[in-house]
Amino acid sequence: MAAYILRRLLLMIPTLFGIMLITFTVTQFVPGGPVERMIAQLKGHSGGEVRISTSADLYQGDKGLDPERVEQLRKLYGFDKPPVARFLRMMKNYLVFDFGDSYYHHQSVVNLVISKLPVSMSLGLWSFLIVYGTCIPLGIAKAVRDGSRFDVATSSFILIGYAIPGFVLAIALIVLFGGGSFWSIFPLRGLVSDNWGDLPLMSKILDYLWHMVLPIISSTLGSLAVMTLLTKNSFLEEIHKQYVLTARAKGLEENRVLYRHIFRNAIIPIITGFPGSFITAFFTGSLLIETIFSLDGMGLLAYESILNRDYPVVLGTLYFFTIIGLISRLLSDLSYVMVDPRITFDGMESQ
């Protein structure tokens, strides 16, 4: 297994390098970079919004900006060097997790991401716990009662939830429970109330949970169907196998057959995705959910960074989250061995 892990870690290097190279190359051809953005502001094209300029607009000294000023701007943002030199310098800095400063927010990319993580961690972690905590027991119950009224009713409910887009559900919840047209029960914006710092500990916890109810429902309802049906189908496949019929023929209790024999085999496909889902839950962000409920998280940051051509944030977060994704995939593969001793990497190591 050690050889397999080492091989996977070594393969991460060219994968990461290739992703960063492709993304960096694409950014070189996208119009409206930081230099063009600053030129647009200096020319007074907008009073806060940025007009995306093309390369034809870059050198227009007769319209207010001389070439020397433009060259100073290019040097300020590091665009006076060839693309290859800029890419190599960027990757050298990224090796020590030095992502530089944001062009748009004018602060360290690391500090900027850390400031946005509480929102994304709240949405991701609660969604993860609710989905796994609900879908596994529900899927088992549906498998045991396959074809019953309970199975049909729950399937209809979760499939309807799956068909409703998250942002549509969020708007409907606001209209119903956020003071839109009916009841004003839950707050409409923010992770906590404005006076959260002055509240006692228990009130802080309740205030936080109160704010998270509608966003969590909006972001999790559509995810229930996939995990529930995966759990149900996995248990149904095991229930009809010969070893289950043999255990029942020996007179074992149904609960013992279910949780001592079926459970440990049927849960393998679900558990193997646990490490990756758990890690990514801390860093996921939903642009529409965050926008609707005024939550300033990673989803909104990613959208703003792309819109404003904030390359340090775009490339820095891509580098970090790519590493997280590659590691989570490795952990998911290793979890197969941990939950199922029949699976080994000996064949891969001998190749």
Side-chain angles (χ1 to χ4, degrees):
M1 182 182 294
Y4 174 79
I5 295 175
L6 179 60
R7 183 181 303 175
R8 286 289 299 272
L9 292 175
L10 293 176
L11 285 174
M12 290 181 186
I13 298 175
T15 302
L16 179 62
F17 184 86
I19 292 174
M20 296 305 300
L21 178 60
I22 293 173
T23 308
F24 180 84
T25 303
V26 170
T27 61
Q28 305 308 300
F29 298 97
V30 176
V35 176
E36 291 89 340
R37 179 178 178 274
M38 182 59 68
I39 291 175
Q41 289 182 343
L42 293 176
K43 288 181 178 180
H45 284 314
S46 63
E49 297 184 359
V50 178
R51 185 183 72 88
I52 297 179
S53 306
T54 63
S55 58
D57 298 324
L58 190 56
Y59 292 100
Q60 294 185 358
D62 58 334
K63 293 188 178 182
L65 281 181
D66 54 66
E68 288 187 13
R69 187 67 179 276
V70 174
E71 190 61 29
Q72 289 177 357
L73 292 175
R74 292 176 60 85
K75 187 175 182 179
L76 175 65
Y77 290 107
F79 285 87
D80 57 324
K81 299 179 177 61
V84 175
R86 286 190 282 117
F87 176 76
L88 294 177
R89 182 180 179 182
M90 180 190 74
M91 293 303 297
K92 180 181 178 181
N93 293 334
Y94 282 8
L95 289 176
V96 294
F97 294 96
D98 178 11
F99 301 130
D101 296 330
S102 167
Y103 294 153
Y104 181 71
H105 296 277
H106 305 293
Q107 60 175 300
S108 169
V109 173
V110 174
N111 294 335
L112 182 61
V113 171
I114 291 175
S115 68
K116 309 294 183 181
L117 277 181
V119 171
S120 298
M121 289 175 62
S122 296
L123 287 173
L125 187 57
W126 281 114
S127 298
F128 170 82
L129 294 175
I130 291 174
V131 167
Y132 271 84
T134 302
C135 294
I136 292 179
L138 179 60
I140 295 174
K142 287 172 62 63
V144 173
R145 300 172 177 83
D146 182 40
S148 65
R149 291 183 178 179
F150 171 80
D151 181 35
V152 174
T154 53
S155 294
S156 301
F157 174 76
I158 61 175
L159 290 176
I160 291 173
Y162 180 75
I164 300 175
F167 71 94
V168 174
L169 178 61
I171 295 173
L173 291 175
I174 288 176
V175 172
L176 289 174
F177 304 108
S181 300
F182 295 89
W183 302 281
S184 180
I185 301 176
F186 298 101
L188 294 179
R189 54 173 304 170
L191 199 60
V192 292
S193 299
D194 295 335
N195 63 335
W196 186 81
D198 301 327
L199 300 175
L201 178 59
M202 184 55 63
S203 298
K204 287 183 177 180
I205 296 174
L206 294 177
D207 181 78
Y208 164 75
L209 295 176
W210 182 48
H211 280 76
M212 293 304 300
V213 171
L214 297 186
I216 292 301
I217 293 176
S218 304
S219 59
T220 58
L221 188 60
S223 304
L224 295 178
V226 176
M227 185 60 64
T228 301
L229 295 179
L230 174 63
T231 304
K232 175 190 174 182
N233 293 334
S234 179
F235 273 80
L236 279 178
E237 183 179 355
E238 295 295 326
I239 285 174
H240 295 97
K241 288 187 176 180
Q242 185 63 41
Y243 76 89
V244 177
L245 299 178
T246 303
R248 287 172 173 168
K250 290 181 178 180
L252 296 179
E253 296 180 358
E254 190 64 28
N255 285 338
R256 187 175 181 182
V257 173
L258 179 62
Y259 293 105
R260 289 287 300 273
H261 298 276
I262 298 175
F263 185 85
R264 63 182 182 181
N265 292 317
I267 204 67
I268 291 176
I270 295 95
I271 293 299
T272 50
F274 185 92
S277 300
F278 183 76
I279 292 175
T280 54
F282 286 91
F283 306 104
T284 54
S286 174
L287 170 62
L288 293 176
I289 299 299
E290 291 177 10
T291 301
I292 292 172
F293 291 101
S294 299
L295 300 173
D296 192 9
M298 291 300 302
L300 193 59
L301 175 64
Y303 174 75
E304 289 180 347
S305 301
I306 295 173
L307 186 65
N308 293 289
R309 308 297 190 265
D310 197 350
Y311 297 147
V313 176
V314 174
L315 296 172
T317 53
L318 176 65
Y319 177 86
F320 179 71
F321 293 143
T322 300
I323 293 178
I324 295 295
L326 293 173
I327 293 176
S328 64
R329 290 293 299 272
L330 175 60
L331 293 177
S332 296
D333 292 344
L334 295 177
S335 64
Y336 276 98
V337 179
M338 297 176 62
V339 300
D340 191 353
R342 297 171 296 179
I343 300 177
T344 65
F345 297 119
D346 294 338
M348 297 183 181
E349 295 175 5
S350 62
Q351 292 178 0

